[in-house]
Amino acid sequence: MQVERDMARRVARLEGLLARRMGLRRGPLALRVKRARGALPEAVRRDLLALAAARQGAGHPKIARQIDARAMAQAERRVARFLKGPVLRERRVTRRVRWKAARVLNLALIALGAMWFAMWRGLV
């Protein structure tokens, strides 16, 4: 009973962080992790999936005894550190800057191609 409440509390805390920091609000934790794909590093994804599996098994008496509480606490700390840290914000900003830079480069190439075409046809 204690393990189940403890795991439920841990998972609820991380679900709140995922909702706040990454906008993942719907579905069970495993589904949210799958939706986050590239936004989460592999180690964080692995920890979240382990916590989701432990949460599911915590309700069963025989499986609850097999859950390593210390490992789950460490996994929770690692995930919380990632979700609270500046790394997530930095990645989001970097992704946005790269996307905008790619669009500007594409527009510049199109403009260059249009100018070359105009000069080749003798329009300029």
Side-chain angles (χ1 to χ4, degrees):
M1 188 73 160
Q2 176 64 25
V3 174
E4 185 177 4
R5 275 187 275 142
D6 188 41
M7 288 307 300
R9 182 185 53 79
R10 290 178 194 277
V11 171
R13 179 175 173 241
L14 293 177
E15 284 178 338
L17 282 172
L18 277 173
R20 234 178 299 125
R21 300 291 294 210
M22 299 188 71
L24 299 169
R25 289 177 168 72
R26 290 189 175 161
L29 184 60
L31 182 62
R32 292 179 192 194
V33 172
K34 285 183 181 179
R35 286 183 188 150
R37 281 184 291 234
L40 295 173
E42 181 63 31
V44 173
R45 266 193 314 239
R46 192 177 334 112
D47 286 341
L48 279 169
L49 289 175
L51 283 164
R55 168 65 179 104
Q56 212 170 17
H60 195 278
K62 288 186 179 180
I63 297 175
R65 284 182 278 165
Q66 296 174 3
I67 296 173
D68 185 6
R70 184 176 294 146
M72 292 301 110
Q74 289 174 348
E76 180 199 12
R77 279 195 299 273
R78 285 190 299 262
V79 171
R81 187 180 325 126
F82 174 78
L83 290 174
K84 286 181 177 181
V87 174
L88 188 59
R89 187 178 312 117
E90 182 180 320
R91 282 184 177 200
R92 193 171 32 236
V93 169
T94 302
R95 186 180 301 134
R96 189 177 300 136
V97 167
R98 286 181 179 171
W99 184 84
K100 287 180 181 180
R103 296 305 162 261
V104 168
L105 179 64
N106 287 339
L107 289 174
L109 289 175
I110 290 171
L112 186 64
M115 283 187 355
W116 175 80
F117 182 75
M119 290 176 66
W120 178 63
R121 296 289 291 174
L123 301 173
V124 176

